Amino acid sequence: MSQRLLSEWGLLISVEETEATEEIVTRFHDAMLHKSADELADLYAEDGLHEFPFGGLPPYEGREEIRAGYRASWGATPAEVQEVRRLALHRTEDPEVVVVEQDTHVTVGGRPIRVPGLLVLRIRNGKIVHTRDYMDATVITQVRTATG
């Protein structure tokens, strides 16, 4: 029998689910740090979806499109990721959904830039099935203009 924890909303969550979520978020941030599309895509279910509601980018539908999309975008940017800092991980009323507050510290041409963001992750059976990736579009523009 799995040990259950009472969340701050009165929901029961298993210790295993909590640890799995923590590991997935850590591995997601590691993939960002390494700019590894393979590491990132491997976290997703085969039919996973990665959306960019504020980024003006089309969604990546399916694990292989996520892999290809990130390989292309990370391969095209001269931004070097220095650190991905998790500021907070918030659980929601839906036990499959967490919200991650993060700051990504990059350098472009020696210039340091902090990219704040939020990830809304739906995790099912140890895989990400849906991500809504909210990035500060103004800062993304700064990253792009710093390269040119």
Side-chain angles (χ1 to χ4, degrees), residues 26-58:
T26 297
R27 289 176 56 203
F28 194 108
H29 286 163
D30 287 347
M32 291 172 63
L33 183 62
H34 305 141
K35 290 171 53 173
S36 173
D38 290 329
E39 289 177 30
L40 184 68
D42 290 346
L43 297 172
Y44 280 82
E46 187 174 334
D47 61 348
L49 175 64
H50 191 114
E51 296 181 293
F52 305 93
F54 296 153
L57 301 170

Side-chain angles (χ1 to χ4, degrees), residues 57-138:
L57 301 170
Y60 298 144
E61 298 181 35
R63 180 187 301 138
E64 295 313 312
E65 192 171 311
I66 292 165
R67 185 183 319 276
Y70 270 97
R71 182 170 286 129
S73 67
W74 283 341
T77 180
E80 292 299 325
V81 181
Q82 303 301 312
E83 178 185 15
V84 182
R85 184 176 302 156
R86 181 194 314 177
L87 304 175
L89 188 148
H90 303 282
R91 304 212 177 266
T92 68
E93 290 184 13
D94 183 335
E96 291 186 340
V97 177
V98 294
V99 178
V100 182
E101 293 180 60
Q102 64 190 30
D103 279 343
T104 304
H105 296 267
V106 302
T107 56
V108 181
R111 178 179 167 207
I113 300 174
R114 180 182 65 88
V115 183
L118 289 174
L119 296 172
V120 179
L121 303 173
R122 178 174 294 278
I123 301 168
R124 185 177 303 135
N125 298 322
K127 294 289 187 182
I128 299 170
V129 295
H130 189 191
T131 297
R132 294 179 57 83
D133 192 342
Y134 296 90
M135 298 173 284
D136 185 326
T138 304

